[in-house]
Amino acid sequence: MATRVPFKNLAEAERLAKRKLPKAVWLAVKAGNEQGWTLDENLRAFSELGFSPTVFDRPTSFDLRTTVLGMDIDFPVLVSPVGAQAIHPDGEVGVARAAARAGTATGLSSWASDSAEDVAAVNPNTMFQLYWVGKRDQIEARVEAARRAGAKALIVTLDWSHTPRRDWGVPPAPPSSLDLRTMVRLAPEALSRPAWFGSYLRRGRIPELKVPNLFDRMGNVPYFGTAWAEFEATPPPTWDDVKWLRELWGGPFMVKGINTIRDAKLCVDLGADAISLSNHGGNNIDGSPSPLRYLPSVVEAVGDQVDVLVDGGIRRGSDVVKALALGAKAVLVGRAMLYGLACAGEAGAYAVLDILRSGIRETMYGIGRSSIRDLERADLMVLNSDFFVPPTR
């Protein structure tokens, strides 16, 4: 019997996810940084763009298909690589299966709870996302493991700032082991949401927070906390490091976390096939504007040399249309997927993608566009004259 999905839009999914998840888990999902200005700004930017609907020549069919990183997908929404999807027993495998069913690609984080092998087995269009953790030999081993698993593309994420402050509180540090003392410490959180914890027990498992894609030199799978300590101790990659990584992989390659024209041009120079404009969902420098505001400037600078994607704050199909009209090839959706996953597992993840696809079609019907390739900036109304903020570099 199909799982009933208890939400009809992503605002409902967010409210339900907050009620379902233990507080510490919810804080990790909601995330953000410092006062949360950028977290809110990512949503606000979309609200400052509107449409001018038409009543004549409305389309009767829609072509939403596109190609990103060599992968043909049915509509321009990809699942962003988001770590530790053990907020539900279905985890990354459930999200990947939902994405495959929806006809799109899934991103798999280095910090995932499921392995690249397991995820690629259920979605052939899997993109493995790499954080720079450890030495080059460790990174090379992880890249080759993703290649053997069948990953179609490699994403390197460069925009994490390691800022631990949030005005509304931060979750406790993830464990470095799951010994008896740790289990006792975490028990009140788990038991505060018995239905959530019970969903794991019914599967005969517990959310142990291991990260199989960040295996160590001996092939051992570390706990999240152990891997995180190594991440914080690893110097950030240089341009030469990323160039080495691009050559090592050799296939479709995306750099995620770009915020300036200068960095976008450097990505072109190192041979990237795509970039994603991103502030890490509000988790980078608080006070940085939404990538949507400088999307047109970056597209103008490098859009004829590299596919430009964008992520952050996408909650509706109309948001996707706005991004495409400003020049994006496609969008990546992360936090919204977690809301759906928390509410109803794989079925909830699929519902998020279905809601976005329906919203794209409805918006395109309203503005008289039958193909995403026909979308342009003239389809939008700027409600705030200060909307566009060109990058300063």
Side-chain angles (χ1 to χ4, degrees):
M1 186 172 64
T3 301
R4 178 180 174 273
V5 176
F7 58 88
K8 295 182 179 179
N9 58 58
L10 300 190
E12 288 181 347
E14 179 177 356
R15 290 192 293 269
L16 287 169
K18 183 177 182 179
R19 292 207 297 264
K20 280 178 170 284
L21 295 174
K23 182 179 179 181
V25 178
W26 169 251
L27 287 174
V29 169
K30 186 66 175 177
N33 203 352
E34 294 186 330
Q35 67 174 329
W37 186 92
T38 295
L39 188 67
D40 294 336
E41 154 70 1
N42 283 350
L43 301 173
R44 183 167 54 246
F46 284 99
S47 71
E48 293 179 6
L49 289 176
F51 301 100
S52 184
T54 182
V55 296
F56 295 109
D57 300 322
R58 284 180 165 177
T60 57
S61 63
F62 303 94
D63 184 4
L64 309 185
R65 296 169 298 172
T66 191
T67 301
V68 177
L69 292 169
M71 299 175 292
D72 295 327
I73 55 178
D74 289 351
F75 69 121
V77 177
L78 299 89
V79 176
S80 189
V82 180
Q85 292 177 24
I87 61 170
H88 188 280
D90 287 353
E92 286 85 2
V93 167
V95 170
R97 192 180 287 116
R101 180 181 162 201
T104 193
T106 192
L108 179 69
S109 173
S110 294
W111 300 98
S113 305
D114 290 326
S115 70
E117 184 177 12
D118 289 344
V119 169
V122 301
N123 190 329
N125 284 335
T126 292
M127 309 171 290
F128 182 68
Q129 177 262 358
L130 188 87
Y131 279 95
W132 196 264
V133 181
K135 303 293 186 181
R136 277 194 180 187
D137 63 327
Q138 296 171 274
I139 292 166
E140 182 174 358
R142 294 164 188 158
V143 168
E144 294 305 329
R147 194 195 309 275
R148 290 193 302 271
K152 292 287 183 65
L154 186 71
I155 302 172
V156 59
T157 297
L158 303 177
D159 62 348
W160 185 256
S161 62
H162 296 283
T163 304
R165 294 172 296 278
R166 297 173 195 161
D167 292 4
W168 53 94
V170 296
S176 297
S177 67
L178 208 60
D179 56 21
L180 180 60
R181 179 179 296 181
T182 303
M183 292 170 64
V184 169
R185 176 172 62 85
L186 297 177
E189 280 286 342
L191 297 177
S192 70
R193 295 292 187 273
W196 175 81
F197 190 56
S199 68
Y200 281 90
L201 296 181
R202 287 192 294 273
R203 303 278 188 96
R205 59 184 294 195
I206 57 174
E208 59 180 350
L209 281 181
K210 283 191 172 183
V211 281
N213 300 304
L214 285 172
F215 54 84
D216 63 20
R217 286 186 172 90
M218 303 300 294
N220 299 314
V221 175
Y223 281 93
F224 194 104
T226 301
W228 190 262
E230 184 179 24
F231 182 33
E232 291 189 310
T234 301
T238 64
W239 188 90
D240 287 337
D241 287 328
V242 181
K243 177 74 171 177
W244 168 81
L245 182 64
R246 198 272 168 273
E247 293 172 351
L248 172 67
W249 175 250
F253 186 80
M254 179 193 295
V255 180
K256 188 173 184 293
I258 299 305
N259 289 272
T260 68
I261 290 174
R262 174 182 178 273
D263 286 350
K265 289 181 176 179
L266 286 172
C267 290
V268 170
D269 291 344
L270 63 82
D273 301 288
I275 59 175
S276 181
L277 307 186
S278 174
N279 54 39
H280 214 101
N283 282 294
N284 197 357
I285 300 172
D286 199 33
S288 58
S290 164
L292 193 73
R293 298 191 188 275
Y294 49 83
L295 171 61
S297 298
V298 174
V299 168
E300 182 178 353
V302 300
D304 59 341
Q305 302 170 79
V306 66
D307 286 344
V308 180
L309 287 77
V310 67
D311 67 76
I314 294 159
R315 298 293 184 272
R316 300 166 186 83
S318 59
D319 295 338
V320 179
V321 174
K322 291 171 184 178
L324 299 184
L326 292 179
K329 184 70 176 290
V331 304
L332 291 156
V333 176
R335 190 177 282 113
M337 290 299 301
L338 294 184
Y339 297 155
L341 179 67
C343 291
E346 178 185 331
Y350 178 80
V352 168
L353 294 170
D354 195 46
I355 288 168
L356 291 173
R357 176 163 29 202
S358 296
I360 295 170
R361 288 173 174 159
E362 291 157 5
T363 304
M364 291 176 65
Y365 176 80
I367 63 176
R369 297 293 191 186
S370 62
S371 171
I372 58 173
R373 283 171 285 282
D374 296 333
L375 294 169
E376 57 185 5
R377 199 184 305 188
D379 292 317
L380 303 177
M381 297 181 65
V382 180
L383 308 179
N384 182 337
S385 60
D386 297 324
F387 179 86
F388 295 109
V389 180
T392 56
R393 289 183 289 163

